[in-house]
Amino acid sequence: MRKSIAITTLIAGSAMLSACGSSGLFNRDRPDEFAVQRQAPLVVPPDFSLTPPQPGAPRPADSSAAVQAQEALFGPGPNRSEVEKNTIGRAGSAAPGIRSTVGDPATNTVAKGAVTRDVIAAPEGDGREAQAVAGG
């Protein structure tokens, strides 16, 4: 038993040591580390196709990065009619913390009545099972 372990260890060791030599069972082609050359730095040629800006034309860098990103993701905003623009202008902007205020348990709400509650609570279906009782 000891002889077979010693012979196996001797064979494995000699195989591993043969990998260190330049010829033999584990010979491989190695790159020449002295044949490396430096690459010339990249040079950007001048762009002769640039034209001077037109007088009165908007500057390309006038919009902020956030606006450019939003337009790239979602496209330009919708074309709104004058009525929509007027309505949005009259409505004004929402308060910054409106979502927190609406979700607050202390927010007062208006009771819409039992009919609205029954319609909202009605089960979904094809109409046979989805019935709401009005009144009462």
Side-chain angles (χ1 to χ4, degrees), residues 4-27:
S4 64
I5 292 175
I7 292 174
T8 306
T9 306
L10 182 64
I11 291 173
S14 63
M16 285 193 284
L17 282 176
S18 70
C20 297
S22 62
S23 64
L25 179 64
F26 297 107
N27 190 13

Side-chain angles (χ1 to χ4, degrees), residues 18 39-40 43 49 64 69-70 73 75 96 100 109 114 120 124 131:
S18 70
Q39 296 292 328
V43 177
S49 66
S64 67
Q70 190 171 13
L73 289 173
S100 300
T109 58
I120 292 173
E124 293 183 19
Q131 297 177 1

Side-chain angles (χ1 to χ4, degrees), residues 6-135:
I7 292 174
T8 306
T9 306
L10 182 64
I11 291 173
S14 63
M16 285 193 284
L17 282 176
S18 70
C20 297
S22 62
S23 64
L25 179 64
F26 297 107
N27 190 13
R28 61 186 176 105
D29 294 331
R30 293 174 186 85
D32 185 10
E33 51 278 341
F34 297 107
V36 177
Q37 297 178 0
R38 290 191 175 263
Q39 296 292 328
L42 295 176
V43 177
V44 178
D47 190 4
F48 294 110
S49 66
L50 291 177
T51 58
Q54 298 295 326
R59 297 180 59 160
D62 277 348
S63 60
S64 67
V67 171
Q68 289 177 353
Q70 190 171 13
E71 285 182 0
L73 289 173
F74 304 112
N79 295 331
R80 300 192 186 275
S81 66
E82 291 300 321
V83 175
E84 287 177 310
K85 291 177 186 175
N86 190 12
T87 305
I88 291 171
R90 286 186 180 186
S93 60
I98 190 68
R99 292 178 188 233
S100 300
T101 305
V102 169
D104 186 19
T107 301
N108 295 328
T109 58
V110 177
K112 299 288 184 182
V115 174
T116 305
R117 184 189 66 233
D118 291 341
V119 168
I120 292 173
E124 293 183 19
D126 60 357
R128 186 175 43 190
E129 293 85 16
Q131 297 177 1
V133 178

